[in-house]
Amino acid sequence: MYEIITLPNGMRIAFEKMSGVRSAAVGIWVGVGSRYEKHGEEGSAHFIEHMLFKGTEKSTAAELAGRMDAIGGQINAFTSRDSTCFYARVLDSHLDEASDILCEMFFDSLFSESDVVNERGVVLEEIDMYRDTPEDIVVEQLMGKAFPGALGKLVLGRPASLNGMTGASLRAFEEREYSPERIVVSVCGSFTEENLARLCGRFSALAPSRPAACRKSVYTPAVVVKRKATEQNHFCLSFPGLPEGDENRFAWQVLSMALGGGMSSRLFQTVREKHGLCYSIGSFTAAYKETGMLAISTAVGRDSEEKALALIRDEIEKFRQDGITDRELCTARELINSGIILSLESSPSRMNRLGSGLLLLGKCLTADEIIERYDAVTAESVLALAREKLAPEKMGFSAVGRIAPADDYLSVFGK
């Protein structure tokens, strides 16, 4: 069971002991991502993630890396639309050193102009790498249209906005948005009270602040296509989803799992196994403060794409009309519940679950509580969601490759 220490400045430290392990994972979670960026700031949250690894007042970037390697630790970070996380995993005997490295990066990074120039090139290469990956483009371009405004911005930003960034502008963004009330430190594994006290002492130095709330977005059915020289054509269909913390999110995950979440799912069995039209097909959900999305993605050859899309259409409509079978319901529950139990054996997984849960939902359900909610999902609740959310008029569509005109694809779906 996890516990929380709330510091006077509003910042929270959450921790959960794990018996029988000799490792610990610590993460600094910040409730700031690309959706908090103003016009001209696109990519700032992600750029800051990079800059925190580039050197501090005490250590160069090489020295930071060398210190972590010297204790056999692992350190990394990621940025999403609504959060940024800096994390490390080490043996319990080195937790203080790992925490000190993370805190030094978090509090004392230089943001030097020379490092900004160098790292800008790295981020621009990352953008080019993304542009070379059609399975990423097909999803991201639909996200950008389905959520017009702040939530639809690319996490990596735009070359034009990145070229205008300086160390001073990035530090100003960090100072404006990195409020203590938006920060959660999560620690899971083997640790001591002294380890926690060290973190409390460092983060108590943050001054309280109240940044502006993020702008809201609403799911909008959208159509976007991009021609690109690829061997396969890549497709993504979207439907409106549920916001974070919605009471129906457990039935929603069961729906997604049965429709396209595993090898026994309807889409995988029909499009790949029965008809052999693709290598990979699946569904996934995305949830944000006020909205969400369910998406289905696949890649197929030009000659078979119409048949594949028609099969996807038919499976969605069958699900919407008839719902989930008892067998599918049981299978989906088992897949989800086993994933939850298996993740409990990993200190980084627990750290992620604890940090993201508190940051985005304000609480973190125990594994037993989560399983109880999935076990309470009924076929009727799944059917109700399918009929509400999977309506053809709510569908968004994205295609990348040597594609036909958009209307040719939309006609398959009667649009």
Side-chain angles (χ1 to χ4, degrees):
M1 185 67 180
Y2 72 88
E3 298 180 66
I4 301 175
I5 299 172
T6 301
L7 301 180
N9 57 16
M11 182 263 171
R12 291 164 290 173
I13 295 178
F15 50 97
E16 184 177 18
K17 285 273 191 178
M18 296 173 62
S19 61
V21 301
R22 287 289 311 279
S23 67
V26 54
I28 303 173
W29 290 81
V30 186
V32 177
S34 57
R35 71 176 305 174
Y36 291 83
E37 297 160 356
K38 299 177 181 178
H39 179 69
E41 294 180 336
E42 293 88 348
S44 294
H46 174 254
F47 206 153
I48 288 171
E49 174 212 315
H50 279 241
M51 291 305 299
L52 262 61
F53 286 83
K54 301 310 294 180
T56 69
E57 296 175 0
K58 298 179 181 178
S59 310
T60 65
E63 288 169 344
L64 288 171
R67 285 165 60 189
M68 185 58 72
D69 285 351
I71 58 176
Q74 304 162 358
I75 188 169
N76 213 328
F78 62 84
T79 306
S80 68
R81 284 175 164 80
D82 49 17
S83 64
T84 307
C85 178
F86 309 90
Y87 62 95
R89 184 190 188 192
V90 291
L91 298 179
D92 54 7
S93 56
H94 297 308
L95 180 57
D96 278 346
E97 174 65 10
S99 298
D100 287 348
I101 293 171
L102 280 174
C103 287
E104 183 178 334
M105 293 164 55
F106 191 79
F107 288 100
D108 303 322
S109 285
L110 291 175
F111 290 91
S112 73
E113 295 303 331
S114 60
D115 286 336
V116 169
V117 171
N118 286 340
E119 202 62 21
R120 181 185 291 117
V122 174
V123 177
L124 291 173
E125 289 296 329
E126 190 175 356
I127 291 174
D128 287 342
M129 181 175 66
Y130 147 78
R131 287 175 172 173
D132 283 340
T133 312
E135 56 263 42
D136 289 339
I137 299 174
V138 75
V139 175
E140 285 297 328
Q141 70 179 11
L142 185 53
M143 290 284 291
K145 295 292 185 180
F147 298 114
L151 192 54
K153 291 179 180 178
L154 283 173
V155 173
L156 300 182
R158 302 177 295 109
S161 61
L162 293 169
N163 288 331
M165 291 178 189
T166 65
S169 70
L170 292 171
R171 186 180 293 280
F173 178 89
E174 182 189 46
E175 291 175 351
R176 187 187 79 210
E177 301 293 345
Y178 276 39
S179 164
E181 292 184 2
R182 286 179 172 172
I183 299 173
V184 171
V185 170
S186 58
V187 184
C188 291
S190 174
F191 54 86
T192 66
E193 295 295 327
E194 289 74 18
N195 297 142
L196 297 178
R198 196 181 188 96
L199 286 166
C200 289
R202 194 63 194 270
F203 280 91
S204 293
L206 281 172
S209 62
R210 288 192 176 278
C214 63
R215 288 162 289 173
K216 293 184 177 181
S217 293
V218 178
Y219 172 85
T220 303
V223 177
V224 54
V225 297
K226 180 180 179 63
R227 296 190 180 276
K228 187 175 180 63
T230 58
E231 293 299 321
Q232 291 181 305
N233 285 347
H234 295 253
F235 299 98
C236 184
L237 282 62
S238 69
F239 296 90
L242 300 176
E244 292 167 345
D246 190 283
E247 61 181 11
N248 291 315
R249 66 188 185 276
F250 304 99
W252 189 234
Q253 290 297 331
V254 167
L255 184 156
S256 179
M257 181 65 74
L259 183 62
M263 293 179 64
S264 64
S265 67
R266 293 192 186 187
L267 291 173
F268 192 94
Q269 285 296 312
T270 298
V271 183
R272 172 179 160 145
E273 296 298 277
K274 185 176 180 180
H275 293 275
L277 299 180
C278 68
Y279 176 77
S280 176
I281 184 170
S283 64
F284 63 91
T285 63
Y288 304 99
K289 292 180 184 297
E290 74 282 27
T291 188
M293 185 175 81
L294 180 143
I296 297 165
S297 62
T298 191
V300 297
R302 182 71 175 86
D303 294 339
S304 57
E305 62 184 16
E306 183 175 350
K307 182 178 181 181
L309 292 174
L311 289 170
I312 294 172
R313 175 203 64 203
D314 292 345
E315 288 301 327
I316 294 172
E317 187 57 27
K318 288 177 186 176
F319 206 109
R320 187 165 174 264
Q321 294 299 323
D322 303 327
I324 193 171
T325 67
D326 290 341
R327 182 175 181 179
E328 287 173 326
L329 179 59
C330 291
T331 298
R333 282 174 178 162
E334 285 299 316
L335 284 168
I336 294 170
N337 289 344
S338 66
I340 294 169
I341 298 300
L342 291 173
S343 72
L344 295 179
E345 300 177 3
S346 163
S347 57
S349 294
R350 283 205 188 192
M351 182 275 293
N352 282 329
R353 185 172 62 89
L354 179 57
S356 62
L358 287 177
L359 184 69
L360 302 175
L361 300 177
K363 61 182 178 180
C364 182
L365 298 177
T366 67
D368 288 342
E369 289 172 332
I370 296 173
I371 291 172
E372 179 182 348
R373 282 160 172 78
Y374 277 116
D375 286 344
V377 171
T378 64
E380 290 75 18
S381 63
V382 174
L383 177 59
L385 282 173
R387 289 182 172 173
E388 175 191 354
K389 300 293 187 179
L390 303 184
E393 64 272 16
K394 297 180 180 179
M395 188 191 82
F397 181 82
S398 173
V400 173
R402 302 177 191 271
I403 54 176
D407 288 345
D408 290 2
Y409 300 119
L410 296 178
S411 65
V412 175
F413 297 92
K415 301 187 64 158

